[in-house]
Amino acid sequence: PLMLGAQTHFSQGWPAGVNDLAAQAQAPLLRDSLPWAAGETSKGQYALNGAAAQNLMAACQAGRRLILTQIPVNPLYDNGLWVSSEQGRAAFAAYLGALKDKFGSCLAAIELGNEINGNRAMVFAGGIDSVAAYVRIAAAARARLGGSPALLGGSTNMIGTGFLRPLFAAGLLAQVDGIAVHPYRNRAEGLDAEMSQLWAAMDASGRRVPVWATEFGLATADQGTAAGELVKQATMLAASGVGQASWYALIDQTGFPTMGLFAGSAIKDQGRAFRFLQASVLPKGAPTRLDLGDPLLFAYRFGSDTTVIWGSPRGLVLGNGTRAYGPTGAALATPAIGDQPIVLVGTGYTLGASAVVADTLLGWSSPAWRYFVRNKGGTDTALDWLDDTWTGYYGNKYSKPLRINATSAAPAGDAANPLRAVWRYTAPVAQAIDLRGCFAKTASGDGVDLTVQRNGKAVWQGVLTTTLQPGPVAVDLAKGDKLDLVAGPNQGFGGDAFFYRVVLFRRGQSAAVTCPN
């Protein structure tokens, strides 16, 4: 089963009472830190009895386990930069050994660095190969820890498979017990595709180690959306083979005022969802995705009778003995399938038909859509999957910064040499559809030119400057007809990134589409 934990910051002065909130949330795992620079201020002498260490030990005594993030920086060694000398690596490894001695079996893992794909996250002395140096630090740490606690390498903001590949090639996977990623995203859909790429990158290097999602979360004041995404993302992480995940964070903070499970001591909807998963869903084991005959349905079975389900809107009729719950665990008298997940307990239910034919979000990276870049001459070139430093996307090395993600995209170039992003739907049968969508961007640049084309002929056009919600746009498609959504740079380059979602409905059955930003 997925072990679902939460981030705390006792190392930043959080009070002891936060442990009571961790108990209220039923969090079995906490992620925190005891920085090396604070724990070793004289060479070889360790101070691990401060307030943060006491609060973390109290969590251990209450039955929780710990992940401790450790950055290999100490002003006593290597001029306060990331350690690159043998002496510095040995000292860092010795400090990790002191943490192991302090916390014993309560210490589940040590995470080597934090979001190391960030700008200036790994600061070594000039001339040092950072990839090789990171692997050497991992090797020294692994030799001291011996596999317990687990040593987690990587620690990327988002999944960052493109950043991790050189580390894998340099031998990191042989020196760690797991890879840490922080799969932040505003919608769960597409998470499975990115995780597949990460596993494939490991396989290409000849070795797999477990993946730990040591941070994930959502910055939004909409507690309902956050609760739903917590359930969806935890479910998809579990189904993708992730064994541990930590929500960021346990409580709201000044710098992150909406991301907590609690606001002060008051539990939020995402906290209720967290607790509901712990009590009623995750203990039933790792989930498997069900094929319910519609790729726009996401349904994951936990155990023999519990299903987390969401997808394109449709009715739902429960059979005798089957119960439905919302993401916070509230019972639903008249449940319906939609973007918010439902938890079904029992296997007797009947699904209605959906008015949705295709959806750029629910069908992202599926056979329903193909992605292209269109040059100024109108020639389309198929886009490939690119493993980026941050998150994967459809693009190619010749058309950067053009990209197509699940909920965001960007064209490239300018009016003289535009590179347009193209989403293509090919009708499998004759269809009468209504297209509706939502596009949003910051008010920078001169906007994005948008066009909907049927077999190359425009049926709708607009320019996105802040928000645009086209539709319903009626389009009649014969079998094999191509419906293209085309996004270009308008006149000038820059400020062209945008959020989007486009849905194709059966004629006369459309509904407004909101942007997933």
Side-chain angles (χ1 to χ4, degrees), residues 191-206:
L191 182 52
D192 50 351
E194 287 201 65
M195 284 300 305
S196 293
Q197 290 296 121
L198 178 57
W199 290 121
M202 288 196 216
D203 291 342
S205 293

Side-chain angles (χ1 to χ4, degrees), residues 448-488:
V448 174
D449 59 273
L450 298 169
T451 307
V452 175
Q453 297 177 334
R454 175 186 173 273
N455 295 334
K457 182 178 179 180
V459 296
W460 177 87
Q461 291 177 303
V463 175
L464 169 66
T465 55
T466 52
T467 303
L468 197 59
Q469 290 183 287
V473 178
V475 185
D476 293 317
L477 299 174
K479 181 179 179 180
D481 279 355
K482 294 177 173 57
L483 186 70
D484 288 352
L485 167 66
V486 186

Side-chain angles (χ1 to χ4, degrees), residues 218-224 226 258 268 270:
L218 185 62
T220 176
D222 185 338
Q223 293 186 30
T258 65
K268 299 162 63 178
Q270 48 266 59

Side-chain angles (χ1 to χ4, degrees), residues 36 100 216 231 249 315:
W36 180 25
K100 176 178 178 176
F216 79 111
V231 171

Side-chain angles (χ1 to χ4, degrees), residues 9-287:
H9 284 302
F10 289 119
S11 63
Q12 298 178 16
W14 284 16
V18 170
N19 266 322
D20 295 334
L21 300 181
Q24 187 178 338
Q26 301 179 24
L29 181 72
L30 300 181
R31 177 177 180 262
D32 212 298
S33 180
L34 288 174
W36 180 25
E40 184 184 354
T41 57
S42 297
K43 287 187 175 183
Q45 302 297 313
Y46 306 119
L48 297 175
N49 296 304
Q54 292 177 34
N55 288 332
L56 290 170
M57 185 58 74
C60 292
Q61 292 167 349
R64 276 172 278 285
R65 301 191 72 199
L66 304 176
I67 300 171
L68 294 182
T69 302
Q70 296 299 321
I71 299 174
V73 170
N74 190 313
L76 299 175
Y77 304 95
D78 295 343
N79 297 315
L81 303 176
W82 274 53
V83 293
S84 56
S85 67
E86 184 174 352
Q87 180 194 35
R89 289 191 296 270
F92 178 64
Y95 180 71
L96 301 187
L99 293 176
K100 176 178 178 176
D101 294 342
K102 171 76 175 180
F103 293 102
S105 61
C106 175
L107 187 53
I110 287 175
E111 187 170 344
L112 180 52
N114 182 57
E115 299 188 348
I116 62 173
N117 54 339
N119 293 331
R120 294 187 60 80
M122 290 196 295
V123 183
F124 289 96
I128 298 293
D129 180 338
S130 62
V131 169
Y134 184 87
V135 174
R136 284 193 289 269
I137 295 170
R142 182 67 163 74
R144 177 60 180 84
L145 297 176
S148 179
L151 179 66
L152 308 181
S155 187
T156 53
N157 187 357
M158 303 185 183
I159 293 178
T161 301
F163 179 86
L164 291 169
R165 281 184 183 275
L167 288 166
F168 295 168
L172 178 65
L173 294 173
Q175 306 299 340
V176 296
D177 306 296
I179 291 296
V181 295
H182 299 172
Y184 285 111
R185 56 202 310 112
N186 56 7
R187 293 295 183 272
E189 293 80 11
L191 182 52
D192 50 351
E194 287 201 65
M195 284 300 305
S196 293
Q197 290 296 121
L198 178 57
W199 290 121
M202 288 196 216
D203 291 342
S205 293
R207 178 181 173 89
R208 280 195 181 194
V209 297
V211 174
W212 298 50
T214 52
E215 289 185 30
F216 79 111
L218 185 62
T220 176
D222 185 338
Q223 293 186 30
T225 295
E229 285 303 313
L230 192 158
V231 171
K232 289 160 61 175
Q233 293 180 31
T235 294
M236 293 190 81
L237 287 169
S240 296
V242 174
Q244 295 81 15
S246 299
W247 182 263
Y248 192 95
L250 186 65
I251 61 175
D252 287 342
Q253 307 165 73
T254 301
F256 303 98
T258 65
M259 296 183 73
L261 302 177
F262 293 83
S265 61
I267 195 167
K268 299 162 63 178
D269 282 349
Q270 48 266 59
R272 295 183 180 92
F274 184 98
R275 192 167 58 188
F276 177 48
L277 283 178
Q278 302 284 26
S280 303
V281 180
L282 296 178
K284 298 189 177 184

Side-chain angles (χ1 to χ4, degrees), residues 358 360 367-375 378-382 404 420-427 431 433 435-436 439 449-462 470 473-478 480-488 498 500 502-504:
T360 57
W369 297 96
R370 294 190 65 197
Y371 310 105
F372 300 87
V373 55
R374 180 171 297 172
N375 66 18
T379 300
D380 291 344
T381 301
I404 297 177
R420 293 186 165 90
V422 179
W423 295 249
R424 176 167 296 158
Y425 171 78
T426 301
Q431 295 169 316
I433 65 167
L435 177 149
R436 298 187 71 162
F439 301 86
D449 59 273
L450 298 169
T451 307
V452 175
Q453 297 177 334
R454 175 186 173 273
N455 295 334
K457 182 178 179 180
V459 296
W460 177 87
Q461 291 177 303
V473 178
V475 185
D476 293 317
L477 299 174
D481 279 355
K482 294 177 173 57
L483 186 70
D484 288 352
L485 167 66
V486 186
F498 61 94
Y500 76 97
V502 173
V503 182
L504 309 183

